[in-house]
């Protein structure tokens, strides 16, 4: 089985965008928010949006299950206040639940959190619990709810601890993933996503957070941002700070996905990062659409790169494609069994 | 000849730090600033600090000339106001000029700019001119004078244009380099430097700045941040934005250095980035001190990695080690000739 641990619902029904625009405008103008009941998204519309896109690509590329969450750039934790973020998160998560009910064998849910600038992460616990009850197996945790100004406490600050406690209690990992960037200096999918990944990694490796939470599991997406390319730099910084080798720090706590869109990048990733810490992912349909004109294949068809990476044994590939995901997402085995039995 | 295009004076005389601490405190407390005349830095002290460090390493590693600028993390453009930044920059640049007068064959100057949050970059023109008159061949341009909050206009904004005009008039390139990070979410040499590099690259490739300034030359240090590792991602984003291939965009305008501290990283860099756009650099003595326990060699001995990179011909290596630097730094040939004749 090939499990893609990083997919977002980026082909949502149109009316969701209409609602969000109205909600955003209302939050800005302090006027009446649109009614949630006004949302018109039929099962047929959802089914078509998936069948023509994510499901089609799963079939074409030969992957089986996508761990699926709301559009990352759409989370918009900097928009409106906590109540706006909560309503929007509930709507987005409920929509993921509907996708999963329509395609239970192809998608497993991961939730967006109702984070909001300056609001304690513990306020996201209730929504995480609600989603886990719906069968979700993880969450996306935004390390920068400001949308590009990086003014939240580091992920190693006690600010986040009550949320980590709940994650461990529920046996769910988090993917560390920012949302859309409202800072004109940074491009959402170009620099902002990767910068947040690199930032998070350095926060974590220089901290004692995994001493406090030995069972905390965090996935840093997009291949770990800049980390594998600068593996020597980060090893040196860790060692100079009296920390162990990165392999040891990552251990059973930090994982990178394979959202790296060219062969030499995946070759480097799989060469320097321990194979036990790499989870297969493509983030399709996502940041980079279309075919690479030099290869003729889609940029984000990362399965091809992993298959062609030199030095990976069949057992290594099995870990990357399936085994590691089953370990990191503690609830995944159960969710898959229920789905296959359905 | 082997030219290291990225070295900072990180072993400064102690009294410089005393002055800066007092200057910073005075700026904060709005009290009397320390007198510049109070600075005690003898030629002997400067000579010893270089001979025991940068010069020793040049000799051990077999490099010839370092393009040398004030400590990047010390520029501190977020500290005090414009007048504080100007005095500090003049002091730091004058110190570089003294190093060069003591070791004219081993070091060539690049200046720090008196940037300050919210102050137009055109205010840095006078200091750039002053330094070029002292024989400097380039400058370090800080894309985030806030020290970690990324609130300056993108490098492609007209805010920067008068400064670019002067750079071109003087035939000097800029290395895009942030300073120390005062944002607790980011680690100066771990995530902040690399994130600024990646940010700058994406700003540039999606802009028309090189149509406006075909002769503008910008060096993005630390191997281009996350860019080579995510080369496919950035190619795809550029192509999807109706831009050409990255090779073409970089052309004679964007260059990466080789401050990447492990062999697989340099292998990737030299594989994906055109050889004409790579400048040899080590940033020693800098972010990562000490030996890599796995190789027994210094992390930042990047000459070794470049020499061992597969697929580079002797001609390629000559470009990376020397030829490209002579092209990018238009005043370098003249400066070297004067130094060697001295």
């Amino acid at each position: 089985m090939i499990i893609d641990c990083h997919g977002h619902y980026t082909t949502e029904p149109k009316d969701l965008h209409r609602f969000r625009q109205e909600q955003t405008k209302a939050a800005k103008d302090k006027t009446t928010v649109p009614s949630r009941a006004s949302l018109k998204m039929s099962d047929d519309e959802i089914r078509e949006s998936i069948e023509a896109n994510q499901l089609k690509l799963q079939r074409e590329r030969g992957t089986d299950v996508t761990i699926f969450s709301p559009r990352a750039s759409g989370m918009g934790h900097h928009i409106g206040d906590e109540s706006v973020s909560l309503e929007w998160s509930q709507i987005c998560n409920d929509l993921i639940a509907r996708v999963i009910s329509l395609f239970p064998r192809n998608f497993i849910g991961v939730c967006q959190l109702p984070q909001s600038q300056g609001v304690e992460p513990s306020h996201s616990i209730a929504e995480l619990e609600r989603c886990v009850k719906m069968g979700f197996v993880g969450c996306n945790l935004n390390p920068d709810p400001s949308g590009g100004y990086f003014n939240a406490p580091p992920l190693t600050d006690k600010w986040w601890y009550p949320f980590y406690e709940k994650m461990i209690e529920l046996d769910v990992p988090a993917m560390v993933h920012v949302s859309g960037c409202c800072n004109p200096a940074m491009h959402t999918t170009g620099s902002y996503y990767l910068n947040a990944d690199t930032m998070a990694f350095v926060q974590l490796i220089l901290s004692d957070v995994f001493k406090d939470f030995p069972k905390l599991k965090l996935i840093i997406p997009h291949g770990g941002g800049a980390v594998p390319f600068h593996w020597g730099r980060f090893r040196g910084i860790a060692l100079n700070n009296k920390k162990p080798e990165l392999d040891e720090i990552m251990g059973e706590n930090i994982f990178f996905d394979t959202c790296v869109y060219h062969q030499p990048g995946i070759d480097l990733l799989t060469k320097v990062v321990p194979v036990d810490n790499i989870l297969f992912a493509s983030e399709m349909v996502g940041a980079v659409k279309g075919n690479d004109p030099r290869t003729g294949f889609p940029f984000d068809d990362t399965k091809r790169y992993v298959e062609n990476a030199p030095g990976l044994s069949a057992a290594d590939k099995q870990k990357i494609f399936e085994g590691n995901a089953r370990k990191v997402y503690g609830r995944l085995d159960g969710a898959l069994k229920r789905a296959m039995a359905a």
Side-chain angles (χ1 to χ4, degrees), chain A:
Chain A
M1 176 177 281
I2 295 185
I3 301 167
D4 183 337
C5 82
H6 188 177
H8 303 293
Y9 190 17
T10 52
T11 55
E12 318 95 323
K14 275 184 190 165
D15 203 44
L16 186 75
H17 295 289
R18 186 270 312 161
F19 175 90
R20 180 60 166 170
Q21 277 172 14
E22 290 182 16
Q23 190 199 36
T24 301
K25 190 168 187 311
K28 199 177 161 194
D29 301 345
K30 314 270 183 206
T31 55
T32 314
V33 295
S35 144
R36 199 190 292 202
S38 72
L39 266 167
K40 291 199 180 8
M41 304 184 289
S42 69
D43 280 358
D44 279 350
E45 199 181 357
I46 295 172
R47 196 179 286 114
E48 281 163 25
S49 76
I50 294 285
E51 279 179 348
N53 294 288
Q54 292 84 357
L55 197 62
K56 176 168 168 277
L57 292 176
Q58 278 189 1
R59 287 171 180 154
E60 283 176 8
R61 299 181 186 181
T63 65
D64 299 291
V65 174
T66 302
I67 296 180
F68 205 54
S69 58
R71 183 194 288 263
S73 64
M75 297 188 295
H77 295 121
H78 57 284
I79 293 171
D81 62 11
E82 189 178 359
S83 70
V84 168
S85 186
L86 179 61
E87 176 160 56
W88 176 237
S89 297
Q90 288 172 342
I91 289 169
C92 292
N93 291 331
D94 287 348
L95 188 56
I96 295 296
R98 287 179 67 189
V99 170
I100 288 157
S101 72
L102 292 169
F103 303 99
R105 297 187 171 207
N106 298 95
F107 298 93
I108 300 279
V110 152
C111 68
Q112 157 178 341
L113 297 171
Q115 293 176 251
S116 189
Q117 271 199 84
V119 173
E120 292 188 17
S122 60
H123 292 210
S124 290
I125 286 176
E127 180 63 4
L128 177 65
E129 288 182 314
R130 190 181 78 88
C131 291
V132 167
K133 279 187 194 143
M134 294 197 291
F136 287 34
V137 301
C139 59
N140 292 329
L141 185 71
N142 185 344
D144 176 30
S146 77
Y149 296 95
F150 298 104
N151 52 16
L155 290 174
T156 53
D157 192 279
K158 294 204 161 39
W159 173 258
W160 303 91
Y161 275 26
F163 190 78
Y164 295 158
E165 283 167 17
K166 182 55 68 173
M167 283 172 55
I168 291 165
E169 182 195 317
L170 295 173
D171 195 15
V172 295
M175 179 173 280
V176 178
H177 204 310
V178 286
S179 185
C181 190
C182 61
N183 181 340
M186 264 176 278
H187 180 277
T188 295
T189 55
S191 45
Y192 182 48
Y193 280 10
L194 304 179
N195 288 357
D197 301 336
T198 308
M199 173 188 80
F201 184 77
V202 184
Q203 291 174 355
L204 295 170
I205 65 167
L206 297 180
S207 80
D208 288 324
V209 69
F210 300 117
K211 283 189 184 154
D212 292 341
F213 296 105
K215 292 187 173 177
L216 181 66
K217 293 187 195 305
L218 299 174
I219 301 133
I220 300 185
H222 322 110
V227 175
F229 180 49
H230 287 282
W231 195 246
R233 185 180 196 86
F234 294 110
R235 284 184 56 226
I237 288 175
L239 294 171
N240 287 341
N241 280 280
K242 313 286 180 208
K243 299 288 180 187
E245 287 280 354
L246 298 183
D247 308 18
E248 190 181 329
I249 297 177
M250 291 180 75
E252 301 198 349
N253 300 113
I254 305 177
F255 303 86
F256 293 167
D257 76 11
T258 65
C259 291
V260 177
Y261 297 151
H262 64 145
Q263 189 68 51
I266 290 289
D267 293 353
L268 176 75
L269 172 74
T270 53
K271 181 166 191 169
V272 302
V273 176
V275 71
D276 289 328
N277 296 80
I278 302 174
L279 303 186
F280 172 69
S282 68
E283 202 172 2
M284 60 88 171
V285 182
V288 183
K289 296 176 187 72
N291 283 359
D292 180 341
R294 291 185 181 166
T295 66
F297 297 109
F299 278 111
D300 64 4
D301 184 359
T302 53
K303 174 165 169 278
R304 182 178 300 274
Y305 309 136
V306 174
E307 279 168 346
N308 292 335
L312 288 182
S313 67
D316 291 340
K317 287 177 193 169
Q318 197 280 334
K319 284 180 175 179
I320 292 172
F321 281 130
E322 178 180 0
N324 294 341
R326 288 186 188 265
K327 278 197 314 185
V328 173
Y329 294 85
R331 308 179 79 90
L332 183 58
D333 269 341
L336 287 172
K337 274 181 198 151
R338 281 191 301 278
M340 300 309 160

